[in-house]
Amino acid sequence: MSNYNSEEIIDLDRKHLWHHMTQHKAFESNAPMVITEGKGLIVKDLNGREFLDACSGGVWCVNVGYGDERMINAINDQMKKMPYYAGVAGNIPAIEFAGKISSLTGLDKVYFSNSGSEANEKAYKMIRQYNRQKYPDIDKYKILYRKRDYHGTTIAALSSTGQEQRKEKYGPFVEGFVEFPHACCYRCDFNKTYPGCDIDCARVVEKIVLEEGPDTVGAVIVEPITAGGGVIPPVKEYYEILQEICKKYDLKLIMDEVVCGFGRTGKMFGYEHYGVKPDIVTMAKGMASSYMPLSGTVVSEEIFNVFKQDGDDPLSYFRDISTYGGSAAACRAGLESTKIVEEDKLVENAAQMGSYLLEKLNEFRDHPNVGDVRGKGLLAGIELVEDKASKTPMDEKKFLGVIGNIGKQGVLVGRTNRSFKNMNNVMNLAPALIVTKEEIDKIVTSIKNGLDSLK
Ligand SMILES: Cc1ncc(COP(=O)(O)O)c(C=O)c1O
């Protein structure tokens, strides 16, 4: 409960709260949005207005939906028992959740932290140290990342992000991160058409490894399905090719499952669609359905063992710390969220409802401003263009008008947000994994009306 009335809250917000990803000049004429309650997929704002949240908390993360009593009770119970002790010691939920994650991924060791950015930072530090301890005579420190992928906001995570507008004004970036082409067929960098293309976007990685020098490259990081960069599922052969290149040059494959993990795409992890086995998996967001902040960097025994030594080197273990990482209450939230996903068959629901959603969205392909419809499971994107022939991305103001129109109908959808110059034109959908057919119908109808407002 708050001690302030609505006007005072808005006043305080304007005065003191720095919102994420927001130009605050707009708040001089408009009131900031304040979300006060949530149940299922519905959120309520300060004025009591209800919205259907089609993007799981705005950034694809409240996977089991709002207000799930089982989550609240589990966290409450753990809070009473023991909310926190530093990660140098084990705690029961962290131990159990690490075991669960291991059984889900087939990997062996879980290093907990607090955010997706942090999970990726840990992966980069592990790769550098692993290679320096395993191959002391060379320096396999570089990490290759893909254009359009996002790996986080901290400086190294941003250095490995393939979105030029997100990076603008924040350089200089960390040395040792090298970009390779995106995997978006709709805007193929090689001017080819799948399936007659030989998947050049994956094969080109070998050329880049050779140019950089294989002895200098330690890993490749990818989102299994690019999320914020425009919802891009690579074609089915893509990751087998990428994994072969990794094996040939002794590179670790890091899958950033921060968005895709824990059921979002209709499989427990996004890479499962592609029949590959990563060496490192990073995860956050839906991992604890965002009831508590939690992330993880999950590695194979082979990687972990390089840090476990009897030798004389006092610096051989992973000298990393994350004060809140793996707190007991957060891990209990992760355990409970995963239990709900399994018991309520939410991965299956994501697959079924995801197919229905994509089927409905594909009906918009005839609209003159719909360039492409992409997705897998409950992760979908619609790319809006000025006209189909030129594929000119829709003007951003016009695009925001469509998003605003959908919002006015009481549905909150996501979008590419200051990621690319003149190409922030993909509408994102990622409803909670509990979504029903009726809720999808409501989302689709509001998008249809939004698109019709362009005519
Ligand atoms: C794929 C991916 N990786 C990493 C991150 C960073 O996560 P966080 O914002 O929790 O640091 C995000 C955030 O959107 C993401 O989409």
Side-chain angles (χ1 to χ4, degrees):
M1 289 305 288
S2 169
N3 295 323
Y4 299 96
N5 67 33
S6 297
E7 257 172 45
E8 289 166 335
I9 285 284
I10 294 293
D11 197 37
L12 258 185
D13 181 314
R14 279 194 170 117
K15 278 195 183 125
H16 299 296
L17 186 65
W18 197 334
H19 290 232
H20 298 180
M21 290 293 294
T22 297
Q23 172 50 266
H24 279 244
K25 194 79 187 154
F27 294 158
E28 288 176 8
S29 43
N30 300 321
M33 186 181 208
V34 180
I35 298 291
T36 55
E37 280 173 57
K39 188 75 192 165
L41 269 76
I42 304 297
V43 290
K44 226 185 228 183
D45 74 5
L46 197 59
N47 303 319
R49 172 134 199 240
E50 289 190 349
F51 295 89
L52 200 167
D53 172 11
C55 218
S56 299
V59 285
W60 20 51
C61 54
V62 186
N63 280 10
V64 300
Y66 298 95
D68 190 305
E69 293 292 331
R70 294 165 291 182
M71 291 294 294
I72 297 158
N73 292 338
I75 296 164
N76 191 24
D77 178 62
Q78 188 59 44
M79 283 291 195
K80 283 192 226 150
K81 253 185 219 141
M82 207 281 292
Y84 177 80
Y85 189 84
V88 287
N91 66 65
I92 302 295
I95 294 163
E96 285 186 26
F97 197 30
K100 181 71 198 171
I101 293 168
S102 173
S103 73
L104 292 174
T105 56
L107 293 169
D108 302 288
K109 290 280 192 269
V110 183
Y111 192 91
F112 287 116
S113 50
N114 304 290
S115 69
S117 306
E118 214 189 339
N120 288 328
E121 297 275 346
K122 307 303 182 199
Y124 303 155
K125 285 176 76 177
M126 285 173 188
I127 287 294
R128 288 181 174 192
Q129 189 178 350
Y130 163 89
N131 278 313
R132 284 173 181 152
Q133 291 183 182
K134 191 165 175 195
Y135 307 111
D137 298 332
I138 53 175
D139 198 6
K140 276 171 89 65
Y141 69 100
K142 292 180 192 166
I143 311 258
L144 307 189
Y145 66 92
R146 189 171 57 198
K147 190 162 173 58
R148 297 193 67 152
D149 279 3
Y150 178 75
H151 297 297
T153 188
T154 48
I155 287 292
L158 198 57
S159 302
S160 63
T161 283
Q163 302 182 356
E164 78 281 346
Q165 214 175 41
R166 277 291 167 102
K167 295 167 92 160
E168 213 171 305
K169 301 188 191 181
Y170 297 116
F173 293 102
V174 181
E175 202 227 323
F177 293 97
V178 182
E179 189 168 287
F180 63 91
H182 64 73
C184 182
C185 293
Y186 181 66
R187 295 190 181 274
C188 178
D189 273 351
F190 302 87
N191 287 323
K192 292 189 175 173
T193 307
Y194 178 79
C197 63
D198 209 26
I199 331 290
D200 297 295
C201 53
R203 295 196 194 282
V204 71
V205 174
E206 178 161 21
K207 186 170 159 269
I208 293 169
V209 172
L210 291 171
E211 276 165 12
E212 292 295 322
D215 280 359
T216 71
V217 183
V220 177
I221 185 163
V222 279
E223 292 182 65
I225 294 170
T226 306
V231 187
I232 307 166
V235 297
K236 65 179 188 313
E237 301 88 342
Y238 183 91
Y239 284 117
E240 268 177 41
I241 297 169
L242 191 62
Q243 184 146 60
E244 259 174 47
I245 297 166
C246 286
K247 285 198 176 132
K248 186 165 170 191
Y249 297 102
D250 192 13
L251 319 178
K252 299 298 184 203
L253 179 59
I254 309 171
M255 282 283 179
D256 176 340
E257 290 275 353
V258 166
V259 171
C260 295
F262 294 88
R264 167 63 52 205
T265 67
K267 299 255 186 212
M268 193 51 109
F269 293 99
Y271 64 80
E272 292 173 23
H273 291 286
Y274 294 91
V276 289
K277 188 171 178 354
D279 305 285
I280 300 184
V281 175
T282 58
M283 50 185 65
K285 294 198 191 266
M287 182 181 192
S289 284
S290 305
Y291 279 63
M292 297 289 276
L294 184 64
S295 65
T297 308
V298 189
V299 308
S300 62
E301 194 84 54
E302 188 272 325
I303 293 176
F304 177 76
N305 282 343
V306 169
F307 294 80
K308 199 172 74 176
Q309 296 184 7
D310 289 327
D312 298 331
D313 181 0
L315 305 184
S316 63
Y317 63 95
F318 192 43
R319 286 160 295 108
D320 184 272
I321 187 162
S322 169
T323 296
Y324 303 119
S327 83
C331 286
R332 184 73 186 269
L335 263 176
E336 191 64 27
S337 176
T338 309
K339 192 165 161 230
I340 294 169
V341 166
E342 288 188 329
E343 284 183 0
D344 292 2
K345 303 211 176 317
L346 297 187
V347 182
E348 292 82 345
N349 195 56
Q352 277 164 17
M353 290 298 116
S355 295
Y356 179 64
L357 174 65
L358 268 179
E359 188 190 308
K360 289 281 163 197
L361 297 181
N362 271 315
E363 290 173 9
F364 296 145
R365 278 186 183 272
D366 290 341
H367 190 284
N369 299 108
V370 173
D372 200 15
V373 173
R374 303 185 282 265
K376 213 162 227 82
L378 287 171
L379 178 61
I382 308 174
E383 176 152 0
L384 298 187
V385 291
E386 288 296 331
D387 68 277
K388 282 185 196 292
S390 70
K391 297 188 181 177
T392 305
M394 181 176 279
D395 165 74
E396 217 161 315
K397 270 204 182 125
K398 210 158 132 189
F399 175 68
L400 289 177
V402 178
I403 303 288
N405 181 297
I406 296 168
K408 280 191 189 135
Q409 298 169 64
V411 173
L412 301 175
V413 296
R415 62 187 167 92
T416 28
N417 191 358
R418 301 275 172 256
S419 298
F420 310 103
K421 206 169 168 198
N422 302 327
M423 218 173 64
N424 294 305
N425 63 330
V426 180
M427 184 191 305
N428 302 329
L429 300 167
L433 310 191
I434 56 171
V435 72
T436 62
K437 202 158 171 273
E438 292 67 39
E439 286 165 330
I440 288 181
D441 286 339
K442 177 154 191 216
I443 294 167
V444 170
T445 303
S446 69
I447 294 172
K448 182 179 181 309
N449 295 335
L451 291 173
D452 284 349
S453 72
L454 288 165
K455 285 180 185 163

